[in-house]
Amino acid sequence: MIPQEISDKLKNKFGDAILESKTDGVIDPFIKVAPGKIEEIALFLRDSEDTLFDSLMCLSGIDYTKGKLGVVYHLHSMKWNHKIVLKVDVSVEDPHCQSVQSVWKTANWHEREAYDLFGIIFDGHPDLRRILLPDDWEGHPLRKDYQVPEYYNGMKVPY
Amino acid sequence: MGLLDQKFENGNVIITSMDYLLNWARLSSIWGMQFGLACCAIEMMATGASHYDFDRFGTFFRGTPRQSDVMIVAGTVTLKMASRIKTLFDQMSEPRYVISMGSCSNCGGPYWEHGYHVLKGVDRVIPVDVYVPGCPPRPEALMEGLMKLQEKIRAESLAKKKSA
């Protein structure tokens, strides 16, 4: 299915949970989704016969600056060999998003990484804790307004 | 020094200083603790392999710090790993040495400017004896580093008390 058809199919089923869709152009066509509905939409995309997105290629966090964070999902279907990109916007004051860990198990560690580096909290994740940085690290480094700490546990951090 | 067995024509008596004998014994069999963290570990493995044999120095890699003389820190030291490195260094028994291999453990390497998670040089947590520069250092460079450590050991004196 081409991205426009996938976007139409989602709009028919979910209506106004689909906020925006940009399916023309050469680079990745994406569909922007409301954060409270992403798990349902993910389940629908994985199980419905003509989309069959059974592989989550990547889940990454984004900092758009000006108080907005985001999550990007790259999906791929092994049977039909098509790809689509889903985007979710969350705000810095309330960085909650549903977890798609129950749909694709690989999202478990990807969401832990997005939490570790951006501070996006995934509701419904069974084990949301830091994965790359030490457990007692303060702050979320990949945000644009991050300040490198002077000392960590007695060790000087900057050069 | 020459080969030992060609030194004695008649009799098996050698006269040397205790320091010299002990140091010769120690430097000819430095057992290293394998501590490969990142890309420098590949070069350390290449040094230990057959082409640039490390074993001919009497070195072979031990898995535990309790049985090793030298810890070759090869690779990027992150802050998460630094506390473990301190623990492992404390578990080594004296006399113990540290060779810092590669730019990342010398001074932070390519991550010196923006690496918020990298310890800029392993000498911020443990005392280092020999620094081997390179990114990664060639096997010959690591062997030269080990030879420099051997010269350092040759110049030491265990018989005299170390000043505190």
Side-chain angles (χ1 to χ4, degrees):
Chain A
M1 286 175 88
I2 61 170
Q4 185 58 43
E5 289 173 18
I6 300 176
S7 167
D8 291 336
K9 190 175 151 99
L10 282 178
K11 273 211 184 69
N12 287 344
K13 180 122 176 29
F14 291 101
D16 56 352
I18 310 295
L19 300 173
E20 188 195 327
S21 101
K22 178 177 171 310
T23 50
D24 51 354
V26 186
I27 46 179
D28 279 324
F30 68 85
I31 304 175
K32 198 171 281 213
V33 168
K37 285 284 216 164
I38 180 72
E39 190 178 349
E40 250 187 85
I41 294 178
L43 206 56
F44 173 70
L45 282 174
R46 187 192 71 171
D47 292 334
S48 124
E49 195 42 52
D50 46 358
T51 53
L52 218 59
F53 283 111
D54 49 2
S55 136
L56 173 69
M57 287 197 288
C58 189
L59 191 164
S60 12
I62 294 184
D63 185 353
Y64 290 108
T65 65
K66 301 197 180 37
K68 237 172 36 143
L69 301 172
V71 185
V72 179
Y73 304 79
H74 280 70
L75 308 176
H76 170 66
S77 162
M78 293 211 239
K79 181 171 180 193
W80 301 117
N81 196 16
H82 53 206
K83 302 184 201 171
I84 193 71
V85 176
L86 296 179
K87 290 196 187 188
V88 171
D89 279 346
V90 292
S91 70
V92 176
E93 295 87 25
D94 182 33
H96 285 262
C97 177
Q98 274 189 337
S99 162
V100 293
Q101 192 266 147
S102 50
V103 181
W104 299 287
K105 279 283 174 289
T106 174
N108 198 324
W109 275 19
H110 285 74
E111 288 176 352
R112 274 177 70 184
E113 185 200 18
Y115 165 67
D116 187 5
L117 299 172
F118 288 93
I120 302 172
I121 300 175
F122 291 91
D123 307 318
H125 194 276
D127 188 21
L128 196 66
R129 56 190 163 98
R130 287 192 183 267
I131 188 171
L132 295 167
L133 290 164
D135 288 323
D136 53 351
W137 191 272
E138 280 157 19
H140 297 281
L142 254 56
R143 290 196 183 173
K144 300 287 183 200
D145 52 1
Y146 180 71
Q147 303 285 341
V148 181
E150 274 293 318
Y151 278 90
Y152 168 71
N153 276 0
M155 296 178 275
K156 184 156 182 281
V157 177
Y159 187 72
Chain B
M1 165 101 198
L3 291 172
L4 266 184
D5 58 340
Q6 287 161 8
K7 287 266 174 185
F8 316 127
E9 287 95 19
N10 39 5
N12 297 330
V13 179
I14 33 173
I15 301 190
T16 175
S17 70
M18 192 64 173
D19 271 344
Y20 188 78
L21 188 62
L22 279 178
N23 288 345
W24 168 76
R26 282 196 301 129
L27 64 87
S28 315
S29 71
I30 305 183
W31 286 7
M33 179 184 144
Q34 62 183 24
F35 205 65
L37 294 170
C39 1
C40 276
I42 307 287
E43 287 292 329
M44 189 166 68
M45 293 175 214
T47 314
S50 56
H51 197 140
Y52 302 99
D53 194 7
F54 225 16
D55 260 11
R56 56 197 163 116
F57 291 97
T59 300
F60 62 96
F61 290 111
R62 309 293 303 167
T64 155
R66 303 239 182 233
Q67 297 170 358
S68 40
D69 297 315
V70 68
M71 180 156 90
I72 305 182
V73 181
T76 316
V77 180
T78 51
L79 294 170
K80 196 172 183 179
M81 192 62 178
S83 39
R84 279 93 172 153
I85 288 188
K86 185 89 181 70
T87 310
L88 288 172
F89 180 72
D90 288 338
Q91 287 179 347
M92 285 167 77
S93 40
E94 298 205 355
R96 55 189 177 188
Y97 306 95
V98 174
I99 295 181
S100 160
M101 176 185 179
S103 318
C104 282
S105 47
N106 287 350
C107 60
Y111 306 106
W112 69 272
E113 200 180 1
H114 298 295
Y116 52 87
H117 59 301
V118 171
L119 184 68
K120 314 290 186 301
V122 77
D123 51 4
R124 291 190 179 185
V125 285
I126 54 177
V128 174
D129 295 291
V130 174
Y131 296 85
V132 182
C135 187
R138 274 195 63 90
E140 291 99 334
L142 182 59
M143 287 196 292
E144 184 183 357
L146 190 74
M147 283 157 64
K148 277 225 172 348
L149 183 65
Q150 287 182 333
E151 281 162 28
K152 181 172 177 174
I153 297 178
R154 206 191 301 269
E156 276 185 359
S157 173
L158 285 184
K160 300 195 191 68
K161 278 206 189 61
K162 277 204 201 46
S163 52

